[in-house]
Amino acid sequence: MEFSELIKTATVESVLLSCAGQPAVKGTLCITSHHLLLSSCPGGEGQPSAVELWLLIRNVDAVEKRLAGSSGTITLRCKDLKVLQLEIPGMEECLNIASSIEALSSVDSVMMMYPFFHRPQSLRLEEGWPRLPVEQHFQQIATQTTQWRLSDVNQDFAVCPTYPPAVIVPAAVSEETLRRAARFRQGGRFPVLSYYHTRNGTVMLRSGQPLTGPNRKRCPEDEMLLGSVLDEGERGFIIDTRSAQTAKQARMTGGGTEPKSSYPQWKRLHRPLERGRPLQESFIKLVEACNDASLGMDRWLGRLESCRWLSHVKAALSTACLAAQCLDREESCVLVHGAEGTDTTLLVTALAQVILDPGCRTLKGFQELLEREWIQAGHPFHLRCARSAYSHARLKQEAPLFLLFLDCVWQLSRQFPFSLEFSEGLLLTLFDNAYASDYGTFLCNNEKERCLCKVKESTHSLWAWLDQPEERKKYLNPLYSPNLLVIWPSVEPQSIQLWQGLFFRWIRSSQYLDEAWAEIWRLVEGSNTAVKESTENRLSHSLSDPAARMENER
Amino acid sequence: MEHITTPKVENVKLLDRYTNRKAASGTLYLTATHLIYVDASAEVRKETWILHHHIATVEKLPLTTAGCPLLIHCKNFHVAHFVIGQERDCHEVYTSLLKLSQPVKPEELYAFSYNPKMSKDNREIGWKLIDLKVDYQRMGIPNDYWEITDLNKDYEVCNTYPPEIVVPRAASKATVIGSSRFRSRGRIPVLSYLYKENNAAICRCSQPLSGFSARCLEDEQMLQAIREANPGSPFMYVVDTRPKLNAMANRAAGKGYENEDNYDNIRFKFIGIENIHVMRNSLQKLLEVCETKSPSMSDFLTGLENSGWLRHIKAVMDASVFLAKAVKDEKASVLVHCSDGWDRTAQVCSLASLLLDPFYRTFKGFMVLIEKEWIAMGHKFSHRCGHLDGDPKEVSPVFTQFIECVWQLMQQFPCTFEFNEHFLLEIHDHVYSCQFGNFLGTCHKEREDLKIFEKTHSLWPFLLQKKQELRNPLYRGFTAYKELQPNTLPFSFQFWCGMYNRFDKGMHPKQCVLDHLLNCMNQKIKLEDNASELENKLPFLDGPLPSEASLSKVGCAASKTSMLNTPQDYEGKPPPVLTNGISVGDANVTSDVDQKNKENLANHRDLHLNDSVDVLNSEAKDGKPQHH
């Protein structure tokens, strides 16, 4: 396929661009393989043109066109929730532009996507790709315990196509046992270590659901694997992210849950979390309500309630807290799974780690957590983030689990404003990049696919970009002060807020909040360095002065 | 004291609404002014002080195995759930509190016995801290169009207005008197705020006694005079802040609203803010939602919606924004009224002034605003706050709504207010506490009759003394922002957890940005002080100034400090007495708010983490100091 075949009209003059909160500008619109550009000539002919728009076409979620007379208006609704309008003179041009954007934005082949073409000058290709994240994680754990080992049973992705080549498993369990246990778990996702709680040596595991099926099948290897995690008489918790009812019904389709009789040491807790289509619809409804400026207070609150997004936030935080409590308070091991073990499971295990582990709350630690618990762990980003809240396309497998995770982390940052090293800005950037990116980090559904597409060899890592000093500073929290404690959030409805910075990013003006943020920076930096320095300077100045020194000695 | 039969009860439990942890156990004391609970089970002595005047309701719940529950709801939204071992003790405490919380005679109010050991002179200076004449001067009044008149010095024009009022110069005495006969309770149109830039004014009054067809020439002249005091605009707005239906219903009682045909060049407009009864019920519903134990997200949001509370807050804000826009953008004067012009009118006039004028966003300015639009103009604090045993239908959270609107503005404009949320909460506390004279009675005349100015203290000097902790560290100074244009789309209004769930610490952010920034700021000021002190020593040591550079440094440091303190300079110094005025030794004298702060600190110290994820009963011992 050639991109040029999809571009019916490459440039149009005198296009009027408008978006909420900004003055409209007129200029020349260009479509390239991956971008939509609009450049204006503010200084008139002969003056250098100013680029007013530089939009990754992959970011376009929905294209709406309206024709009136000889011109037409295209509304572009983006995956990052921004809405743009283009007024295009000429009906044919308008239709051509619209269909070109539609075609280019729905190219489904991963290797045709922009990250494979993006070549920023400041970065080298192999930079920033985490080298063996699971292995590194294991190195840290190995300094504290010998109970766990690194297994390469999945080296060629044969045992579990959605796991990375290396996984951390109980030291006492053989590769053969793992292989057999994998056959008993959906998608081959046998229980592996997700998190080692240093304070008391308990662990959090995750997996897919057991394939007990209607005949209550058992698997001695799976039972042995889980049994080997607990000492005699010890109790563990299985947190199933489905309701007891749903888990039971899953037996009819070959899935199920761990029966008490076969796993006597494990106590099952059901904490239903929404995923799949209902979660995507919740997201869509919320964004609709946020964009509806005609709502009065009552209808706004009514729609905020009926979209249920905040209920999902509360449920996710509560379940993550439950997992964290099991580990930290009950001093028990935990296994988390839902059905596939790639969605709500990861939401809970990742969030629990942010709550428990101060290491995950640094910029670097958070990146590592995302790499480990979302990317390597096989959250199908390509499927889940194919479309955002505006798309008219028939929903396939889209669901904003990653966004829900980011929202929960934002709630934590609001309740513990000093405990995260990164700011809201990082969470927004991650949301944007998960849905449409210049970088390869969130491409594909799992490690196997990424290997096939040679993502690491042919695209840049988002982390490399973020780690550049000038970028990094944008994402730091000026109030950060390392907090070694567990950060238990309140999950009372009064404590949970709608994330305005995301859902109203393009709707409300952020001028006054940005100024407040700058003021915080100024205050904190001022009190930390500037004043101290200047005082010291002046002090040393007066001390170097003999008379002053005398004064001082007196 | 005659109401207190049992001054001390032991073995009283205090239940925590939101956690399942073991209830505190301790001793309950009744003093003349406070209920004090001392928690004996805590490692650090923890005291809970409840001012009798703050008690809204006391309920005795059915006996349980643990004892006799006593549920106290406070006007500052504190809810205390005690369990008293003996039924007889509980009953005695209950009957005492009923009497103590609803004094019958004004002399029983705390302000008349509150004695902070301050000299008579200083007490009097305290009352003079806020001088409304200075504020009118600031607006340029008197000028060619407006004058301060003492027509009301014997309260003959209007007994709920202050002796001095601002009216158009063009309005003769006959016009004023005539107009007062045509306005409900004689509350004639007077100036509330003059926007100096374009001479547009905000004026306020009560509804006209127009009935279905009555007219009054003097009232029509009065409005004309107001309109003509703003020569830049050919018309003026008359805004009735009631829902149209309510206003129409009033016509049957001989009241009503202005007929556009009878007044020259007015544009009449209704802005529907509901009446005090609707607001009272709305708050009641809101508080029920806030008190629900472990509600789901849907329960909460549905309850919030059904309470209508945020809808009412938005209505008040919308009206205020309309006023501010009319004045600033349309350059038109506005006359505002509701029924009597002391509830909704006070809300929107004061908020519009706050939007238009940065002075009202400073400490001093905010005090002036409350004194001017609320206290002087006769908002019936005593009735609305239920200071005395009286008609419960007169109670309404009108002032609370104003305070909340200011808080909502603070959320949208974090750098524009000199003070922080605690300042609002302190004022709100003291509106109900009756500890200071400012909010007693219903109008200026009544306060004179009560001898407030001779017998009680003013709140404002006490607040200024606590300025360091009440200031907003993000404030960018008096000149950084002028008019504010808030977003009034529904999402811009948030539930104010810090007010309505203020005493449920578990719900609040576990680390406090405000405290941290205040610390940063204090530290900075201290360092700068040290630095300039050192600098100041240099000239003495060296004779001639050492270098231009260090001089400019001093200048820089000094100007920086003065920039931070601009509002302070603007205000002038608080009365000197206050630095040693309040004694700390006497427990009865210490403000209850101080006590509460102490309690908050204690709460903070033994923060018990996650309140509602209570699936596992675990000892919440570690993770204590979440803050640092």
Side-chain angles (χ1 to χ4, degrees), chain B residues 192-193 195 202 316-328 334 336 345-358 360-361 369 373 402 405 409 482-484:
Chain B
S192 151
Y193 178 69
Y195 187 64
I202 297 175
V316 173
M317 191 75 93
D318 280 332
S320 315
V321 169
F322 175 84
L323 259 57
K325 277 191 179 155
V327 164
K328 181 180 169 274
V334 191
V336 189
T345 302
Q347 287 177 329
V348 302
C349 286
S350 50
L351 273 175
S353 304
L354 193 83
L355 292 174
L356 288 168
D357 193 332
Y360 296 123
R361 295 174 228 136
L369 191 67
E373 298 302 320
F402 163 69
C405 285
L409 288 173
K482 280 206 75 188
E483 299 84 4
L484 304 183

Side-chain angles (χ1 to χ4, degrees), chain A residues 478-549:
Chain A
L479 298 168
Y480 177 62
S481 154
N483 172 4
L484 295 178
L485 299 165
V486 177
I487 53 171
W488 299 108
S490 157
V491 294
E492 292 291 338
Q494 286 97 319
S495 309
I496 291 171
Q497 287 190 357
L498 181 61
W499 185 8
Q500 293 206 358
L502 185 110
F503 293 106
F504 290 97
R505 180 161 39 148
W506 313 106
I507 298 169
R508 63 163 193 194
S509 150
S510 64
Q511 182 201 337
Y512 298 100
L513 302 178
D514 294 345
E515 283 167 2
W517 190 245
E519 205 61 25
I520 291 177
W521 266 108
R522 203 185 59 79
L523 258 176
V524 172
E525 282 190 329
S527 80
N528 286 347
T529 53
V531 177
K532 258 182 221 162
E533 254 168 44
S534 68
T535 318
E536 274 158 21
N537 281 345
R538 283 179 238 174
L539 250 175
S540 62
H541 172 85
S542 61
L543 287 181
S544 65
D545 187 293
R549 202 179 301 137

Side-chain angles (χ1 to χ4, degrees), chain A residues 297-298 301, chain B residues 77 278-286 303-315 396-398 400-402 404 408 494-496 499-500:
Chain A
M297 183 58 81
D298 289 359
L301 288 173
Chain B
F77 311 118
V278 174
M279 300 308 190
R280 181 178 56 246
N281 293 333
S282 172
L283 178 64
Q284 191 51 45
K285 283 188 196 156
L286 178 78
L304 189 60
E305 179 194 346
N306 290 341
S307 77
W309 183 254
L310 286 177
R311 174 160 48 87
H312 301 313
I313 295 292
K314 175 169 155 52
S396 186
V398 177
T400 304
Q401 288 181 321
F402 163 69
E404 171 164 347
Q408 299 283 0
Q494 294 171 28
F495 167 72
W496 189 5
M499 175 70 115
Y500 307 103

Side-chain angles (χ1 to χ4, degrees), chain B residues 313-509:
Chain B
I313 295 292
K314 175 169 155 52
V316 173
M317 191 75 93
D318 280 332
S320 315
V321 169
F322 175 84
L323 259 57
K325 277 191 179 155
V327 164
K328 181 180 169 274
D329 299 338
E330 297 190 67
K331 304 178 175 61
S333 291
V334 191
L335 175 64
V336 189
H337 68 74
C338 45
S339 297
D340 289 312
W342 52 40
D343 293 315
R344 289 167 273 206
T345 302
Q347 287 177 329
V348 302
C349 286
S350 50
L351 273 175
S353 304
L354 193 83
L355 292 174
L356 288 168
D357 193 332
F359 171 63
Y360 296 123
R361 295 174 228 136
T362 63
F363 277 108
K364 179 77 176 275
F366 197 64
M367 295 170 183
V368 168
L369 191 67
I370 291 174
E371 281 285 343
K372 188 159 67 87
E373 298 302 320
W374 293 84
I375 297 174
M377 293 305 288
H379 174 69
K380 305 197 291 176
F381 278 105
S382 176
H383 296 172
R384 296 292 177 259
C385 302
H387 288 163
L388 296 166
D389 189 20
D391 182 0
K393 286 206 162 59
E394 279 285 303
V395 175
S396 186
V398 177
F399 188 75
T400 304
Q401 288 181 321
F402 163 69
I403 291 286
E404 171 164 347
C405 285
V406 178
W407 179 82
Q408 299 283 0
L409 288 173
M410 282 178 170
Q411 304 312 296
Q412 281 196 46
F413 304 98
C415 305
T416 60
F417 289 85
E418 192 190 7
F419 44 85
N420 63 40
E421 176 176 353
H422 297 312
F423 182 63
L424 298 181
L425 294 173
E426 287 262 356
I427 293 175
H428 189 261
D429 273 343
H430 283 301
V431 164
Y432 291 97
S433 73
C434 301
Q435 187 176 353
F436 297 94
N438 309 60
F439 306 104
L440 302 191
T442 57
C443 59
H444 193 83
K445 180 171 183 297
E446 199 178 319
R447 274 187 293 277
E448 272 183 350
D449 295 345
L450 288 171
K451 301 210 180 330
I452 296 291
F453 307 104
E454 292 85 48
K455 292 183 172 170
T456 74
H457 293 263
S458 166
L459 167 66
W460 309 125
F462 288 79
L463 288 185
L464 280 182
Q465 205 186 29
K466 297 215 259 176
K467 204 167 153 177
Q468 284 312 321
E469 54 193 280
L470 301 177
R471 72 193 311 157
N472 171 15
L474 300 181
Y475 183 52
R476 291 181 60 201
F478 184 68
T479 50
Y481 303 90
K482 280 206 75 188
E483 299 84 4
L484 304 183
Q485 290 177 19
N487 186 335
T488 55
L489 286 174
F491 73 83
S492 317
F493 296 87
Q494 294 171 28
F495 167 72
W496 189 5
C497 187
M499 175 70 115
Y500 307 103
N501 284 109
R502 175 173 160 200
F503 295 89
D504 302 304
K505 291 294 163 195
M507 288 182 185
H508 301 183

Side-chain angles (χ1 to χ4, degrees), chain A residues 284-512:
Chain A
I284 292 171
K285 279 189 195 161
L286 173 61
V287 171
E288 259 172 28
C290 292
N291 279 289
D292 190 344
S294 72
L295 296 180
M297 183 58 81
D298 289 359
R299 295 210 33 224
W300 157 249
L301 288 173
R303 285 178 61 176
L304 186 60
E305 187 274 318
S306 66
C307 81
R308 299 193 53 77
W309 181 261
L310 291 176
S311 303
H312 301 320
V313 171
K314 178 167 154 52
L317 275 172
S318 306
T319 309
C321 282
L322 173 66
Q325 275 187 324
C326 291
L327 291 163
D328 194 63
R329 299 281 178 74
E330 295 290 298
E331 314 218 314
S332 301
C333 293
V334 180
L335 167 67
V336 184
H337 71 70
E340 289 94 341
T342 56
D343 294 302
T344 49
T345 304
L346 304 182
L347 174 65
V348 172
T349 56
L351 206 47
Q353 292 180 54
V354 180
I355 292 170
L356 288 169
D357 182 4
C360 295
R361 300 178 214 139
T362 63
L363 193 55
K364 183 161 173 289
F366 192 63
Q367 286 177 12
E368 286 168 359
L369 175 77
L370 294 181
E371 192 63 41
R372 240 180 20 240
E373 286 300 294
W374 287 92
I375 298 170
Q376 299 279 325
H379 176 66
F381 278 98
H382 183 74
L383 291 172
R384 298 291 180 260
C385 302
R387 294 285 169 189
S388 178
Y390 291 125
S391 174
H392 305 304
R394 202 169 56 85
L395 289 182
K396 282 179 264 175
Q397 294 216 39
E398 292 82 0
L401 281 140
F402 187 61
L403 170 61
L404 186 57
F405 168 73
L406 295 175
D407 196 333
C408 291
V409 174
W410 180 81
Q411 305 285 346
L412 288 172
S413 77
R414 214 189 61 78
Q415 294 194 27
F416 296 89
F418 311 150
S419 298
L420 304 185
E421 192 190 15
F422 47 89
S423 67
E424 180 183 29
L426 179 75
L427 302 175
L428 294 173
T429 299
L430 290 170
F431 166 71
D432 294 348
N433 280 277
Y435 279 84
S437 180
D438 295 347
Y439 304 92
T441 297
F442 292 109
L443 289 182
C444 301
N445 292 307
N446 50 56
E447 207 47 24
K448 185 183 177 185
E449 287 183 18
R450 276 184 285 271
C451 281
L452 286 173
C453 295
K454 299 202 182 332
V455 167
K456 273 178 205 171
E457 293 80 8
S458 340
T459 75
H460 285 281
S461 159
L462 174 65
W463 310 136
W465 175 258
L466 295 182
D467 284 343
Q468 300 176 105
E470 66 276 24
E471 281 298 308
R472 197 182 135 84
K473 186 161 190 284
K474 289 187 208 161
Y475 301 112
L476 291 179
N477 170 13
L479 298 168
Y480 177 62
S481 154
N483 172 4
L484 295 178
L485 299 165
V486 177
I487 53 171
W488 299 108
S490 157
V491 294
E492 292 291 338
Q494 286 97 319
S495 309
I496 291 171
Q497 287 190 357
L498 181 61
W499 185 8
Q500 293 206 358
L502 185 110
F503 293 106
F504 290 97
R505 180 161 39 148
W506 313 106
I507 298 169
R508 63 163 193 194
S509 150
S510 64
Q511 182 201 337
Y512 298 100

